[in-house]
Structures are given as C-alpha cells and as structure tokens.
Amino acid sequence: MNEYMIGRKEAGIYAIRNLKTDRTYLGITEDIIKTRADERFALDLGIHSSSELQSDYTKTGLELFTIDLVRKKEDGQDLSDLLQKTVKEYLDKGITLYQA
C-alpha cells in the first residue's frame, strides 16, 4: 500500500528534482502528502518561492520534475539540522541546488 492510500503523515526532507538537469530544491515537511500538493499547486500557479525553480518548471513542465521525500525524520531529530546535513550531502555530490 502506498502512502496516499493509508494517509499517514511522514515528516522529513523533500526534494523537487529537475529530471533534465538534476538540479534540486530541498525543503522541510511535516506531511509529505500535503507538501506535494502544495508545492505542485504553487508551481502550477507560477508562485513558487524559488524563482529559479519556478522559471525552470514553467519552461519544461511537470513531466520533468519529481517531488519526493528523500530523508525521513526519525524520532527526536530536528528538521532544520536534518536539512543542513542533506544540503551538505547534495553539494558534496556535486548536485546544484535551487535557492528559496
């Protein structure tokens, strides 16, 4: 069963990834299902907080982007710290990030 069917909230770090360039936007979520819908809505309306991501999305369209939970929050973890660690890992791998 997938998370849409069971409706449980999963917190952690999510990524919006451009499949054409591998450029990635990272963010914090308390509920990945809601965040996916909210991010997609903002991108579809052209009002995303990252102007660079919005520009690429507008040019290429939904088909070339994924929105996924890339790191699940464990009990007691601070999401801000988890985001900083994830950003560092992505940069160390040479992945270019979109800025908020």
Side-chain angles (χ1 to χ4, degrees):
M1 235 180 225
N2 70 32
E3 61 202 44
Y4 293 105
M5 295 171 71
I6 57 177
R8 71 170 191 241
K9 291 182 179 182
E10 287 191 303
I13 306 305
Y14 71 95
I16 303 174
R17 187 168 72 100
N18 182 326
L19 299 173
K20 186 176 180 182
T21 65
D22 207 33
R23 194 169 183 190
T24 303
Y25 176 89
L26 296 172
I28 293 171
T29 182
E30 290 290 342
D31 180 354
I32 187 58
I33 295 169
K34 181 178 181 325
T35 297
R36 276 189 189 121
D38 292 348
E39 292 287 2
R40 170 88 189 277
F41 184 73
L43 287 164
D44 287 345
L45 284 180
I47 58 169
H48 196 275
S49 61
S50 170
S51 60
E52 295 171 326
L53 171 59
Q54 184 64 64
S55 177
D56 285 354
Y57 184 89
T58 301
K59 289 176 193 169
T60 59
L62 167 67
E63 299 79 21
L64 292 178
F65 286 85
T66 60
I67 304 173
D68 294 305
L69 189 68
V70 294
R71 191 165 240 185
K72 190 174 176 180
K73 177 185 173 189
E74 302 297 329
D75 288 338
Q77 273 186 317
D78 179 77
L79 283 175
S80 294
D81 290 342
L82 191 57
L83 177 61
Q84 288 178 357
K85 289 176 187 175
T86 306
V87 165
K88 182 179 181 330
E89 288 173 7
Y90 273 62
L91 293 174
D92 288 348
K93 290 178 185 176
I95 296 172
T96 303
L97 299 178
Y98 290 104
Q99 301 299 314

